């Protein structure tokens, strides 16, 4: 594939099919329709600048690659234009590391109540900082509805200059993630100085003893630091498993495995011992689920669709991604100016 070294510019009249306009260099790499754009670019980080709006009132969101939310729905009054920018990670496979390769290049899809794209420009992001995600099915880029991992929804909360490289994979434990060359063996060499690496692995460590679980987490932390990255330990999201009194104070909900290993407690202990930033997503999601109650919390998970109290809906993943965003800012891991509010 040709190396992408020039900006791509596509413009269109509102209400008509978008067609590729002459690029600002010798070649045109982009093609857009009324609902989607494709850019023939190799793997890497890319800055995307869009201008939204048209002759009538519009409301546009942008998703990309394997169902990643890249830009939240944005309303623009009739006759006005609004510019927004974000940075996107393009990789192969484009979704889960052990899943299908997907389509080469960068694919973007327009959504929202009344989408209107007036202009789009894609350029290589030369100095983007990346947030790598190491995790399981509750984090990953899920390939199909109604499932969604919180890492799939996180990009919409970030501004230009910060991208999410989601290498979480369904079914993985600390043991399997370290053993598979498509996972840790692929992620570690990609880490650059200054990159964040968020690690949330616990749901599938059902038969991992405490010493092994802790040692595996230490291996991941040490590997990130050796590559110049900054590890961040993340306790797992809770399972929606209520006691009769409306609390989640039980091993199933709070990720205590069959051997009695309290995964969140081990993660907290290791974070303190190794001076690793901690996002206590177990505590955050527990508080939220208990506050919503037995009925209100169903919408966060796939209870109504699948009787699934572990995996999140798009709504739940979006809410949980917002909790991660808040923690990244409050712990000074990401500057306030690089996140979107709301």
């Amino acid at each position: 594939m040709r190396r992408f070294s020039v900006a791509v510019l596509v413009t269109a009249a509102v209400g008509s099919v978008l067609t590729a306009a002459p690029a600002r260099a010798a070649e045109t790499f982009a093609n857009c329709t009324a609902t989607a754009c494709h850019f023939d670019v190799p793997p890497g980080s890319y800055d995307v600048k869009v201008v939204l709006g048209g002759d009538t009132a519009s409301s546009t969101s942008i998703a990309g690659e394997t169902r990643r939310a890249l830009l939240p729905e944005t309303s623009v009054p009739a006759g006005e234009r609004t510019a927004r920018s974000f940075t996107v990670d393009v990789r192969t496979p484009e979704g889960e590391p052990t899943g299908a390769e997907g389509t080469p290049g960068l694919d973007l899809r327009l959504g929202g109540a009344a989408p209107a794209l007036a202009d789009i420009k894609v350029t290589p992001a030369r100095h983007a900082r990346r947030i790598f995600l190491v995790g399981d099915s509750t984090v990953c880029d899920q390939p199909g509805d109604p499932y969604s991992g919180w890492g799939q929804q996180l990009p919409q909360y970030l501004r230009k200059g910060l991208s999410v490289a989601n290498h979480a994979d369904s079914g993985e434990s600390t043991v399997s993630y370290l053993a598979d060359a498509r996972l840790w063996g692929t992620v570690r060499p990609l880490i650059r100085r200054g990159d964040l690496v968020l690690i949330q692995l616990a749901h599938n460590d059902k038969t991992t003893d405490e010493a092994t679980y802790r040692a595996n987490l230490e291996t991941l932390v040490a590997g990130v630091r050796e590559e110049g990255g900054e590890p961040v330990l993340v306790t797992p999201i809770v399972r929606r498993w209520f006691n009769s009194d409306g609390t989640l104070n039980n091993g199933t909900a709070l990720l205590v495995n069959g051997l009695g290993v309290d995964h969140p407690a081990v993660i907290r202990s290791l974070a303190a011992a190794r001076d690793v930033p901690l996002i206590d997503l177990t505590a955050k999601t527990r508080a939220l689920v208990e506050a919503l109650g037995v009925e209100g919390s169903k919408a966060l998970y796939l209870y109504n669709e699948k009787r699934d109290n572990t995996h999140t809906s798009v709504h739940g993943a979006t809410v949980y991604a917002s909790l991660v965003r808040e923690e990244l800012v409050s712990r000074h891991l990401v500057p306030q100016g690089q996140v979107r509010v709301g």
Side-chain angles (χ1 to χ4, degrees), residues 305-326:
E305 299 87 348
K306 301 285 185 179
R307 294 297 187 270
D308 185 335
N309 292 307
T310 297
H311 298 96
T312 48
S313 62
V314 170
H315 167 66
T318 303
V319 172
Y320 286 178
S322 74
L323 297 178
V324 174
R325 172 200 58 182
E326 291 168 6

Side-chain angles (χ1 to χ4, degrees), residues 170-242:
S170 293
E172 305 301 341
S173 65
T174 58
V175 176
S176 63
Y177 202 94
L178 284 167
D180 195 326
R182 295 169 296 179
L183 301 172
W184 185 235
T186 295
V187 174
R188 179 172 173 171
L190 295 175
I191 299 169
R192 297 193 302 254
R193 185 164 300 279
D195 288 336
L196 290 176
V197 183
L198 275 57
I199 302 165
Q200 187 217 279
L201 287 166
H203 278 273
N204 300 301
D205 279 280
K206 299 172 184 177
T207 59
T208 309
D209 64 81
E210 183 168 336
T212 302
Y213 182 66
R214 185 182 182 98
N216 288 343
L217 292 175
E218 288 182 326
T219 297
L220 291 165
V221 166
V224 172
R225 285 176 166 168
E226 287 168 11
E227 299 298 335
E230 181 173 5
V232 180
L233 288 170
V234 183
T235 59
I237 67 169
V238 295
R239 294 189 180 101
R240 186 190 161 277
W241 201 272
F242 283 93

Side-chain angles (χ1 to χ4, degrees), residues 241-250 286 289-294:
W241 201 272
F242 283 93
N243 295 329
S244 59
D245 64 358
T247 68
L248 299 180
N249 188 23
N250 61 76
R286 177 185 179 182
V289 170
E290 287 184 343
L292 289 171
V294 174

